[in-house]
């Protein structure tokens, strides 16, 4: 593997920081995902539609955050298993610059392009 222990530790720290930030953001986002109250006496139709749209956007944002946490956990497991930095499709080394840009990435650029 082309990554030094120091590089690997930096990437692990970066992943842990990202995970913590995502989990904190998810806690604060939970309230925005709650069911919209449809009390017509309290708000107009457009306000309710706006609230429902905001709720839908908050739910999707939360879903994406939780998915990213899963990807981070998978990357941390690959680190523990000694498989980090290897493409999960072809087994080749992932470019260190690609890992620096997104430490949770699991595919080399060639395999990622092939999936598009």
């Amino acid at each position: 593997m082309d990554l030094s222990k120091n590089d690997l530790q930096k990437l692990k720290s970066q992943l842990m920081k990202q995970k913590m930030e995502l989990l904190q953001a998810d806690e604060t986002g939970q309230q925005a995902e709650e069911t919209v109250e449809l009390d017509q006496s309290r708000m107009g139709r457009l306000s309710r539609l706006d609230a429902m749209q905001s709720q839908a956007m908050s739910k999707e944002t939360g879903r994406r955050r939780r998915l990213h946490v899963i990807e981070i956990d998978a990357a941390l497991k690959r680190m523990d298993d000694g498989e980090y930095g290897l493409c999960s499709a072809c087994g080749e080394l992932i470019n260190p610059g690609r890992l620096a840009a997104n430490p949770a990435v699991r595919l080399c650029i060639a395999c990622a392009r092939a999936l598009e």
Side-chain angles (χ1 to χ4, degrees), residues 7-78:
D7 291 336
L8 199 58
Q9 187 58 42
K10 285 180 184 177
L11 291 169
K12 189 172 190 172
S13 294
Q14 187 177 348
L15 285 168
M16 295 298 291
K17 181 181 177 194
Q18 285 179 2
K19 181 178 177 178
M20 186 178 67
E21 289 170 355
L22 288 167
L23 291 174
Q24 287 174 345
D26 199 46
E27 281 182 26
T28 58
Q30 292 291 331
Q31 186 177 11
E33 293 180 35
E34 291 177 3
T35 304
V36 175
E37 186 177 320
L38 297 176
D39 184 0
Q40 292 184 12
S41 65
R42 292 181 54 195
M43 63 172 66
R45 184 170 59 105
L46 291 178
S47 296
R48 286 191 313 277
L49 289 175
D50 189 42
M52 290 169 61
Q53 181 181 16
S54 293
Q55 177 198 28
M57 291 184 336
S58 294
K59 282 185 176 185
E60 178 59 19
T61 301
R63 186 192 69 79
R64 289 180 185 196
R65 272 194 305 262
R66 290 184 286 277
L67 180 61
H68 195 59
V69 168
I70 291 169
E71 292 169 350
I72 289 171
D73 286 339
L76 292 169
K77 183 173 180 353
R78 288 193 304 275

